[in-house]
């Protein structure tokens, strides 16, 4: 395998996941929370594909494609919720959307 | 040998460029206060990840990443951001409070833990990758796996997509007679 070995890809993947988790935790706009979720999913995808290459088996790539489909579904539902929230003229702020809090 | 090492250096250079682009755009997505710029940075992030997938000989996944993610999903994002207009802005609020500090500390701790575990526990075991055939990562191989070994994954994925499509239609339909709360500002 030319170039860096799997360890380097895993470090990039870990950094991406932590960046996404940080965005989910500290940002209040649901749009940016969704974008950060995409970064987390892509960090996981990079690890899957790196291990797929390392072991020479294609199953990791299949799983990465499934994750991609899940991410697309998540974006559809999330953006639908955001548009529904905006149509009711509520604030786009995850801290203020506390109607369902027990 | 000289040709082989030159190719190796070239792969390293492409990898370093893609990795730094990936990390930089990732941080940019989280830190922009305008979601439009965040979405554009995410497109850059996805493109540099596609370069890394190519280096890992996952050609089909790289193509799907650019088509599905950087194409379809991000267009949907940009459309919603344009629809919301100025209401989509997400300014940073004042000085960092204890929640922000705690979140940064927790993320940094997870990152350090993962890197230490990768460094200590895997040792040299991850340095020798398996030899692959030339068909690895090609559409033919992906399709064969999807329709033989991973048929269940394929079916479950289609059900997930169907449920998401139905959910999107229900969320977006105007016919719900739930009260539009004008006063609930």
């Amino acid at each position: 395998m030319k170039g860096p070995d799997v360890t380097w890809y895993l470090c990039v993947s870990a950094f991406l996941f932590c960046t996404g988790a940080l965005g989910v935790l500290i940002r209040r706009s649901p749009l940016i929370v969704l974008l950060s979720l995409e970064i987390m999913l892509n960090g996981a995808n990079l690890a899957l594909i790196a291990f797929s290459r390392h072991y020479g088996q294609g199953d990791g790539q299949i799983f990465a494609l499934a994750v991609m489909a899940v991410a697309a579904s998540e974006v559809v539902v999330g953006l639908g919720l955001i548009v529904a929230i905006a149509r009711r003229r509520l604030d786009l702020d995850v801290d203020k959307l506390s109607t369902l809090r027990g | 040998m000289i040709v082989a090492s030159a190719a190796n250096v070239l792969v390293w250079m492409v990898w370093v460029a893609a990795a730094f682009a990936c990390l930089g755009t990732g941080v940019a997505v989280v830190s922009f206060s305008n979601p439009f710029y965040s979405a554009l940075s995410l497109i850059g992030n996805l493109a540099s990840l596609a370069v890394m997938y190519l280096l890992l000989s996952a050609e089909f996944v790289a193509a799907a990443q650019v088509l599905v993610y950087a194409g379809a999903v991000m267009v949907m994002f940009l459309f919603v951001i344009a629809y919301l207009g100025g209401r989509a802005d997400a300014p940073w609020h004042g000085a960092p409070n204890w929640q922000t500090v705690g979140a940064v500390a927790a993320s940094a701790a997870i990152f350090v833990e993962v890197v230490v575990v990768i460094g200590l526990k895997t040792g040299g075991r991850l340095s020798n990758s398996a030899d692959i055939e030339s068909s690895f990562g090609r559409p033919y191989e992906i399709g064969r796996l999807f329709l033989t070994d991973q048929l269940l994954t394929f079916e479950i994925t289609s059900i997930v997509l169907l449920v998401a499509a139905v959910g999107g239609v229900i969320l977006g339909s105007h016919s719900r007679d739930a009260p539009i709360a004008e006063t609930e500002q």
Side-chain angles (χ1 to χ4, degrees):
Chain A
M1 184 173 167
K2 290 197 188 71
D5 58 24
V6 179
T7 319
W8 293 99
Y9 289 98
L10 290 181
C11 289
V12 173
S13 153
F15 187 88
L16 277 182
F17 186 86
C18 294
T19 312
L22 186 64
V24 171
L25 287 173
I26 66 176
R27 296 310 299 265
R28 293 176 181 171
S29 158
L31 276 167
I32 295 190
V33 168
L34 269 184
L35 290 168
S36 306
L37 273 175
E38 297 293 313
I39 298 185
M40 289 172 80
L41 288 168
N42 274 299
N45 260 357
L46 182 61
L48 280 172
I49 290 177
F51 276 118
S52 164
R53 172 66 189 81
H54 178 68
Y55 292 110
Q57 308 243 322
D59 304 278
Q61 299 184 8
I62 302 288
F63 216 92
L65 288 169
V67 169
M68 241 179 243
V70 168
S73 317
E74 167 239 315
V75 166
V76 167
V77 176
L79 288 181
L81 283 173
I82 290 174
V83 170
I85 291 167
R87 208 191 287 143
R88 274 150 209 263
R89 294 181 171 73
L90 299 173
D91 276 339
L92 284 176
D93 185 329
V94 289
D95 283 350
K96 291 186 185 163
L97 297 173
S98 53
T99 312
L100 286 179
R101 184 177 293 163
Chain B
M1 279 314 287
I2 293 170
V3 177
S5 67
N8 203 14
V9 168
L10 188 66
V11 171
W12 262 103
M13 283 164 61
V14 172
W15 184 84
V16 168
F20 275 98
C22 199
L23 303 184
T25 50
V27 173
V29 170
V30 174
S31 49
F32 271 126
S33 66
N34 185 342
F36 188 76
Y37 293 140
S38 285
L40 289 183
S41 312
L42 188 58
I43 293 179
N45 190 285
L46 300 172
S48 45
L49 274 172
V51 172
M52 287 213 219
Y53 295 169
L54 283 179
L55 293 181
L56 288 165
S57 25
E59 288 95 352
F60 181 76
V61 183
Q65 169 100 349
V66 172
L67 284 175
V68 176
Y69 250 127
V73 171
M74 293 318 294
V75 165
M76 203 154 64
F77 254 111
L78 292 175
F79 188 78
V80 168
I81 291 169
Y83 170 75
L84 294 175
R87 299 188 54 201
D89 282 350
W92 288 88
H93 298 280
N97 54 7
W98 62 270
Q99 277 182 328
T100 313
V101 174
V104 171
S107 300
I110 294 173
F111 178 65
V112 170
E113 278 172 24
V114 171
V115 170
V116 166
V117 167
I118 291 171
L120 289 182
K121 284 296 175 188
T122 61
R125 270 187 293 158
L126 288 180
S127 56
N128 294 318
S129 291
D131 292 328
I132 50 170
E133 296 156 24
S134 62
S135 70
F136 184 77
R138 300 275 160 85
Y140 169 81
E141 183 66 14
I142 300 282
R144 192 188 64 73
L145 279 170
F146 253 140
L147 294 177
T148 54
D149 296 348
Q150 305 287 342
L151 187 60
L152 187 64
T153 318
F154 188 63
E155 300 293 343
I156 291 175
T157 303
S158 60
I159 292 172
V160 167
L161 285 173
L162 177 69
V163 170
V166 172
V169 169
I170 290 175
L171 281 172
S173 66
H174 287 268
S175 62
R176 306 290 111 189
D177 46 9
I180 304 290
E182 297 282 349
T183 55
E184 256 185 83
Q185 283 293 343

